[in-house]
Amino acid sequence: MLIFKLQSYLEAIASDASLYEKGNFEKRSEAIDFIGFGVIDQIDEYLLETTSPTLLQLRQHAEKVRSALEETDQQLFQHIQSNIRQGGYSGTAFKALITKYVDFNVHDPISQEEVGYDNLDVLINGLSLFQTMPEQTKDLEPEMVYYQKTPARIVFELVEKSFIRQEDVFFDIGAGLGQVAILVNLLTGIPTKGIEFEPAFCDYARDCAASLNLSDVNFSNVDAREADYSEGTIFFMFTPFHGEILQAVLEILRQESLQRKIKIITYGPCTAQVALQNWLQAAAPAENNAYKLGIFSSF
Ligand SMILES: C[S@@+](CC[C@H](N)C(=O)[O-])C[C@H]1O[C@@H](n2cnc3c(N)ncnc32)[C@H](O)[C@@H]1O
């Protein structure tokens, strides 16, 4: 009975031609998830109790159907990458391209109590030619925070809410694999810079930017306490560190703010410490939710 049910689900997916059209990215993502969780995981559970050649065959078939769908995704990613590389898509054109494939509205109030990823992340992750996470080569100090990616939806929201001007220069402090700096450049056209402590992450981020021909996206492999911020006007932090390191970097930014007005945008638990700085004003009343963007500007 179970085999019959899973088989018919799988056949319905395999024979749905619309799933193999590049444009149907969200529908395809749902089908890929369903094959993983609804079919393969179920088969694996049954295979723990019984050895059935038919179930094993069905599992292989499910893997094959999933690979074919993933192959269509790869074609879509290559199509978007090649458009970016040729310089055809930046600013509103890039946003329009992405919203063609993923239906979302940055103004939708989604209440997040933790970091959450969705189909937009799958699409944006696909823009990177390098899919294997590099190994960390340096130990972090106790107050430094391990790599975790800012959800792509949050980066779109950041661009929407921070009133970016063409003369702005954006810094991602603790840039990880570079996705925030790359996306902000694609969405706005302004120069972006990433500061990252881990050399392997920095190399990866540079390779990604180079593979997309983004010459205005640069990364420095340096401790945030030693970085040169003299060109920056907007500084983003997805909690790269806390405690004394955060305070030391905020003091450097305060010094920069004596030269020009700056904005600091935060995500994650560091927002609470940034909100305490008396040289910054919050753009919106502070909310008691670390996973909402904090937007601050110097006086
Ligand atoms: C939570 S991740 C954020 C990554 C990236 N900003 C993003 O949102 O996708 C924090 C990053 O900060 C880096 N980091 C931690 N301490 C640092 C320091 N003192 N200087 C520069 N980078 C640091 C970590 O290696 C890690 O990649």
Side-chain angles (χ1 to χ4, degrees), residues 9-266:
Y9 284 152
L10 210 51
E11 280 325 309
I13 293 176
S15 60
D16 183 347
S18 71
L19 287 171
Y20 300 87
E21 288 165 20
K22 282 207 289 274
N24 280 333
F25 172 73
E26 293 215 83
K27 190 174 171 195
R28 189 163 52 250
S29 295
E30 274 166 32
I32 290 173
D33 281 350
F34 179 75
I35 294 176
F37 302 118
V39 179
I40 295 181
D41 283 0
Q42 282 230 37
I43 294 176
D44 286 347
E45 255 179 54
Y46 278 90
L47 283 173
L48 289 175
E49 291 157 19
T50 164
T51 45
S52 151
T54 322
L55 268 180
L56 277 172
Q57 263 177 6
L58 191 61
R59 193 185 191 291
Q60 274 176 0
H61 183 47
E63 294 270 16
K64 230 172 122 187
V65 176
R66 183 166 66 177
S67 296
L69 295 172
E70 287 172 344
E71 178 53 36
T72 309
D73 272 352
Q74 285 308 319
Q75 289 166 11
L76 170 65
F77 300 152
Q78 280 162 18
H79 165 76
I80 301 177
Q81 283 162 6
S82 117
N83 277 310
I84 295 173
R85 231 176 274 129
Q86 287 159 23
Y89 285 97
S90 102
T92 45
F94 176 72
K95 196 173 158 203
L97 178 72
I98 297 302
T99 45
K100 209 167 104 185
Y101 300 111
V102 182
D103 180 26
F104 74 102
N105 180 354
V106 285
H107 300 292
D108 272 355
I110 39 165
S111 167
Q112 283 187 325
E113 296 302 323
E114 53 186 36
V115 185
Y117 302 99
D118 57 28
N119 280 343
L120 183 60
D121 292 285
V122 179
L123 185 67
I124 298 297
N125 292 345
L127 301 188
S128 164
L129 293 187
F130 316 99
Q131 295 295 333
T132 321
M133 167 106 183
E135 290 228 354
Q136 191 121 8
T137 61
K138 275 168 76 176
D139 288 335
L140 296 181
E141 291 177 25
E143 288 182 339
M144 297 181 180
V145 176
Y146 277 95
Y147 175 69
Q148 190 178 13
K149 193 176 276 195
T150 302
R153 184 182 291 269
I154 298 293
V155 184
F156 277 69
E157 185 185 336
L158 177 165
V159 165
E160 201 71 25
K161 291 190 173 162
S162 43
F163 300 104
I164 292 175
R165 305 157 305 163
Q166 279 316 301
E167 58 272 28
D168 278 320
V169 177
F170 177 94
F171 273 67
D172 182 12
I173 304 180
L177 301 184
Q179 184 179 295
V180 175
I182 288 174
L183 256 185
V184 171
N185 173 263
L186 284 170
L187 285 165
T188 64
I190 65 167
T192 62
K193 294 175 190 295
I195 303 296
E196 175 52 50
F197 178 80
E198 168 53 53
F201 292 176
C202 201
D203 286 347
Y204 178 105
R206 283 184 186 129
D207 287 348
C208 282
S211 74
L212 294 171
N213 271 349
L214 300 175
S215 53
D216 256 347
V217 182
N218 291 287
F219 296 94
S220 302
N221 176 216
V222 62
D223 187 311
R225 288 166 289 187
E226 317 282 321
D228 175 1
Y229 298 112
S230 57
E231 288 179 63
T233 57
I234 301 180
F235 299 91
F236 173 66
M237 287 187 276
F238 173 15
T239 312
F241 28 68
H242 43 89
E244 286 177 17
I245 302 185
L246 178 56
Q247 203 49 49
V249 172
L250 284 170
E251 175 52 25
I252 299 171
L253 296 179
R254 189 186 69 78
Q255 296 288 338
E256 292 292 336
S257 79
L258 302 176
Q259 309 300 319
R260 64 202 175 282
K261 203 167 169 160
I262 64 170
K263 282 184 189 149
I264 299 185
I265 302 176
T266 56

